[in-house]
Amino acid sequence: MKLSPTLLFLLSLFLLSYTPNAHNITRILAKQPEFSTFNHYLTLTHLAPEINRHETITVLAIDNTGMSSLLSKHLSLFALKNILSLHILLDYFGAKKLHQITDGTALAATMYQATGSAPGSSGFVNITDLKGGKVGFGAEDNPGSFGSTFVKSIAEIPYNISVIQISKPLSSPEAEAPTPAPAQMNLTTLMSKKGCKVFADTLKASGALETFQSNSDGGLTVFCPVDQAMKSFMPKYKNLTAEGKTSLLLYHGVPMYESIAMLKSGNGLMNTLATDGAKKFDFTVQNEGEEVTLKTKVVTAKITGTLLDEQPLAIYTVDTVLQPTELFKAVATAPAPAPTKAKAKSAKAKSPKEVDSSPPAPAGPEGSPADVTATDDQSGTVRFSGGLGIPVMVCLGVWFLM
């Protein structure tokens, strides 16, 4: 049946009125009690929000029995996070794709590899289509061993997220190696290796570093300007007094742990390590979708990456040096333009009756009902959002045109 232009237009309106939203791994696994332990540790290690943030991802889920065998090794929480990160593939592998791998084998990068702490090829997983319809999985630093196989598909949203069960946890000597707790890490060394060397060197040359280190045990979040931003800012930094330099560096630290999920879910003012009585030294956290910005009255900085997110310490990169109003002049907003003489005369010419007799403005979007959402029962994701008015009109229009 050939569709008329009118029908095509109405159908396009119908599709545009619905917008797919992000997946939620916690909801997906919550409907599968046999994966409750795996789900719990994804939340505890802060991997769940990382999974939700990726548009294309595959999660190799382990049931409660498999998790018991992994937990029996008594790994630190940080080493356990490395192991679980190895079970998160940065590509889409649905059940169908697993059996149609080119040349029968594929090497998939994982979230463990993306951390930068996986030596060599230890952050990759080998996927091989074995004989007899089986698909094997093995850590790349454990070559020739496919101790785990594909069991079943749990949930799939094609080319977005695939959650599949594998028979056993993947084994990796590198991932299981003891990992120092964040509080034991050298903050400046970590920053230097991850693109914040100028900021790290500036911290080491100041008295501010001791304050950062003393707060790392109880909770600390650092917003580290990338090298290019710091290099551009250095002439301004050199013009500050010694006290001003220390305050500026402390302004990039928050005396509490803030995961990226926490920053995304809460807007508002945030105190810093530089906050002291009347000297507020605060900034505003704002988020829109996946983007988180830090706003002062001088500049706006965007979070561009995560160097570390291990409670009680989080370190993020930002694209701009944060500048407080206590040290720099606020950017003045442009005043509203004055009314022209013609407009002023026109306003004077109108009598009060003429002004009052204008009809009331029609209700705007604020008066419309809240959007209604529908949840996909299979995946636990919010699939569509949109007002009911357009879809109902479209359906009626299509019915009359059939």
Side-chain angles (χ1 to χ4, degrees):
M1 180 183 69
K2 188 176 180 180
L3 298 178
S4 68
T6 304
L7 181 57
L8 287 172
F9 174 72
L10 291 172
L11 287 174
S12 67
L13 283 179
F14 178 79
L15 292 174
L16 289 173
S17 67
Y18 291 106
T19 305
N21 291 316
H23 48 259
N24 188 308
I25 185 62
T26 305
R27 285 190 202 155
I28 293 172
L29 292 174
K31 298 181 179 182
Q32 310 287 336
E34 65 269 33
F35 299 100
S36 59
T37 305
F38 181 72
N39 197 12
H40 169 72
Y41 278 96
L42 286 183
T43 300
L44 193 63
T45 56
H46 305 292
L47 287 172
E50 291 292 326
I51 293 170
N52 295 340
R53 216 166 50 231
H54 281 73
E55 292 183 2
T56 304
I57 205 87
T58 299
V59 179
L60 308 180
I62 309 164
D63 65 14
N64 293 342
T65 302
M67 282 299 296
S68 294
S69 67
L70 180 60
L71 295 174
S72 67
K73 296 181 179 182
H74 303 292
L75 302 171
S76 69
L77 185 62
F78 311 107
L80 184 60
K81 180 175 182 177
N82 287 342
I83 286 290
L84 295 182
S85 297
L86 194 64
H87 291 71
I88 304 167
L89 312 182
L90 303 179
D91 198 355
Y92 179 84
F93 288 93
K96 184 177 180 181
K97 184 178 177 180
L98 289 175
H99 293 283
Q100 297 177 347
I101 296 175
T102 305
D103 299 326
T105 187
L107 201 60
T110 68
M111 201 171 280
Y112 177 45
Q113 179 69 24
T115 63
S117 58
S121 60
S122 61
F124 290 87
V125 168
N126 189 312
I127 307 172
T128 298
D129 191 1
L130 305 172
K131 301 296 181 182
K134 289 186 176 181
V135 178
F137 297 82
E140 184 63 9
D141 63 341
N142 200 2
S145 173
F146 294 102
S148 190
T149 56
F150 170 74
V151 177
K152 67 180 180 181
S153 173
I154 298 171
E156 294 183 19
I157 303 175
Y159 312 109
N160 183 356
I161 184 171
S162 172
V163 184
I164 57 180
Q165 181 185 358
I166 58 175
S167 58
K168 295 178 182 178
L170 301 178
S171 177
S172 167
E174 292 290 353
E176 293 179 16
T179 305
Q184 298 172 320
M185 293 181 180
N186 187 308
L187 296 181
T188 53
T189 299
L190 180 63
M191 293 176 191
S192 296
K193 289 180 179 179
K194 303 285 187 175
C196 292
K197 188 176 187 305
V198 179
F199 183 76
D201 290 344
T202 308
L203 262 184
K204 285 191 287 188
S206 75
L209 179 58
E210 185 178 344
T211 304
F212 278 83
Q213 290 175 329
S214 63
N215 279 272
S216 61
D217 284 328
L220 176 67
T221 302
V222 183
F223 299 102
C224 181
V226 294
D227 285 340
Q228 187 56 49
M230 277 298 293
K231 287 176 183 177
S232 301
F233 178 75
M234 286 311 289
K236 286 185 178 181
Y237 178 79
K238 290 176 181 177
N239 286 332
L240 294 172
T241 64
E243 182 182 358
K245 290 176 180 177
T246 300
S247 296
L248 179 101
L249 295 173
L250 292 176
Y251 190 57
H252 288 76
V254 173
M256 66 180 69
Y257 168 74
E258 292 281 348
S259 70
I260 194 69
M262 294 163 71
L263 290 171
K264 285 182 178 181
S265 64
N267 294 321
L269 287 175
M270 184 170 286
N271 288 335
T272 66
L273 293 174
T275 301
D276 182 17
K279 297 179 181 179
K280 294 182 179 179
F281 281 101
D282 53 21
F283 55 75
T284 301
V285 178
Q286 290 190 353
N287 58 75
E288 183 176 349
E290 294 299 309
E291 185 174 285
V292 180
T293 56
L294 313 176
K295 295 189 175 185
T296 76
K297 292 181 180 178
V298 185
V299 296
T300 296
K302 182 172 69 174
I303 294 180
T304 57
T306 302
L307 302 189
L308 182 71
D309 186 359
E310 301 278 8
Q311 194 167 3
L313 177 61
I315 305 177
Y316 307 106
T317 54
V318 290
D319 62 356
T320 303
V321 176
L322 298 173
Q323 298 177 41
T325 53
E326 285 83 355
L327 299 177
F328 302 94
K329 289 183 179 179
V331 177
T333 55
T340 62
K341 291 182 179 180
K343 287 183 179 180
K345 288 181 180 179
S346 176
K348 288 180 179 179
K350 287 186 178 182
S351 67
K353 288 184 179 180
E354 287 176 319
V355 174
D356 293 339
S357 63
S358 301
E366 293 82 359
S368 60
D371 288 348
V372 178
T373 59
T375 303
D376 184 332
D377 291 335
Q378 170 64 21
S379 66
T381 62
V382 180
R383 298 294 294 156
F384 303 109
S385 65
L388 290 178
I390 291 177
V392 171
M393 291 173 64
V394 171
C395 291
L396 288 173
V398 172
W399 182 79
F400 280 117
L401 290 168
M402 292 297 288

